[in-house]
Amino acid sequence: PQDISLNPLTYTNSQKLSAQKYGAEFLEDRAIESIGDDYLVDEYGNEIHFDMCVVANNWAITSLFQGLSQCIWPVRGQMISTAPIFIEGIARNFCHQTNFGYNYWKWHKDHLVIGGERTSDEANEETSICEINTLVQRSIVGFIQDTWGVNA
């Protein structure tokens, strides 16, 4: 197919359920502070031992594995979910992207989820710091206004 819509959360959860059938255990909703050859330490100082560990992470992966910092550069993906907007004729239920993937959005029932605009502050977007970048935020809001003529 030329186009596909994949919900990462649904996909990941289906993989999780399948792995649990074979005895896998999952640690969720807690930060991993450090990892060794056969153990990890969570944010509460708990040491958890394992035979094998698979790390599914986001932009913060290099803070966990310092050796990867030379080959993986964390790039944030700031997003906005708008208040309800009604614009007639909008194609919903499709993921869209433009500007070589630097802008991406999906219309849901009555609102827009949009992200990107990293090019408005590229140097500060290559980070593992999780905070709102006001330049990127302004740029995303401007993209919404320029593209659909609505205030976000």
Side-chain angles (χ1 to χ4, degrees), residues 78 80 116-117 120 132-146 152:
Q78 191 162 313
I80 291 177
E117 290 295 318
S120 61
I132 293 175
N133 180 323
T134 54
L135 288 174
V136 171
Q137 190 86 355
R138 233 180 281 135
S139 193
I140 293 172
V141 169
F143 184 80
I144 293 170
Q145 292 168 338
D146 293 346

Side-chain angles (χ1 to χ4, degrees), residues 77-80 101-105 113-118 140 143:
Q78 191 162 313
M79 301 187 75
I80 291 177
Y102 282 98
N103 297 100
Y104 40 90
W105 64 92
V113 176
I114 182 169
E117 290 295 318
R118 292 189 310 265
I140 293 172
F143 184 80

Side-chain angles (χ1 to χ4, degrees), residues 56-98:
N57 199 310
N58 54 15
W59 46 263
I61 193 75
T62 55
S63 64
L64 187 56
F65 296 104
Q66 296 295 318
L68 295 177
S69 64
Q70 297 303 311
C71 59
I72 296 177
W73 294 272
V75 179
R76 298 170 0 93
Q78 191 162 313
M79 301 187 75
I80 291 177
S81 180
T82 67
I85 299 173
F86 180 76
I87 300 175
E88 198 168 325
I90 292 292
R92 299 181 191 280
N93 299 321
F94 292 100
C95 293
H96 304 276
Q97 66 173 326
T98 187

Side-chain angles (χ1 to χ4, degrees), residues 3-123:
D3 191 12
I4 188 168
S5 178
L6 174 71
N7 181 327
L9 181 61
T10 303
Y11 176 76
T12 303
N13 282 337
S14 69
Q15 297 297 304
K16 174 186 168 185
L17 291 173
S18 179
Q20 283 176 323
K21 289 179 186 176
Y22 295 96
E25 295 181 45
F26 290 81
L27 301 177
E28 297 179 291
D29 299 323
R30 63 178 127 165
I32 303 303
E33 295 297 322
S34 63
I35 191 163
D37 290 335
D38 63 349
Y39 71 95
L40 58 82
V41 178
D42 71 11
E43 64 186 315
Y44 307 109
N46 299 316
E47 192 171 287
I48 301 153
H49 291 268
F50 54 79
D51 293 323
M52 179 173 37
C53 179
V54 175
V55 177
N57 199 310
N58 54 15
W59 46 263
I61 193 75
T62 55
S63 64
L64 187 56
F65 296 104
Q66 296 295 318
L68 295 177
S69 64
Q70 297 303 311
C71 59
I72 296 177
W73 294 272
V75 179
R76 298 170 0 93
Q78 191 162 313
M79 301 187 75
I80 291 177
S81 180
T82 67
I85 299 173
F86 180 76
I87 300 175
E88 198 168 325
I90 292 292
R92 299 181 191 280
N93 299 321
F94 292 100
C95 293
H96 304 276
Q97 66 173 326
T98 187
N99 298 333
F100 304 101
Y102 282 98
N103 297 100
Y104 40 90
W105 64 92
K106 182 173 182 179
W107 283 95
H108 289 270
K109 293 177 185 172
D110 64 353
H111 66 281
L112 172 67
V113 176
I114 182 169
E117 290 295 318
R118 292 189 310 265
T119 54
S120 61
D121 193 16
E122 281 183 284

